[in-house]
Amino acid sequence: MNANTIRERVALIETKRESLVKLLEKPNLGTLRIDVNQALEEIDDLIEEFKRTFPNPDHN
């Protein structure tokens, strides 16, 4: 897998993150809220680590 493919996949994950944020707004989530919060934390960690590993090539 090359860097561009990884960039594309991380970009896709970033767009899907908003769906989890909207899901948290639902009042009837119950204990699933814990899993959604965990997923958001893991996505944020992944994105942060990705940006450290593959800095934006436009800023070089």
Side-chain angles (χ1 to χ4, degrees):
M1 190 177 306
N2 65 36
N4 285 334
T5 303
I6 295 171
R7 278 187 183 89
E8 290 170 4
R9 291 187 179 183
V10 170
L12 180 62
I13 290 169
E14 285 181 300
T15 63
K16 305 249 182 208
R17 182 188 182 281
E18 186 60 31
S19 296
L20 291 174
V21 172
K22 288 181 181 177
L23 188 59
L24 277 180
E25 296 171 0
K26 301 216 179 264
N28 60 347
L29 206 52
T31 59
L32 187 58
R33 180 174 304 280
I34 295 167
D35 295 327
V36 173
N37 275 323
Q38 181 67 36
L40 280 168
E41 287 177 21
E42 290 181 19
I43 287 172
D44 291 344
D45 289 346
L46 171 81
I47 292 168
E48 183 179 318
E49 186 173 332
F50 170 78
K51 288 179 179 178
R52 280 194 312 266
T53 305
F54 297 97
N56 189 341
D58 297 336
H59 290 119
N60 289 340

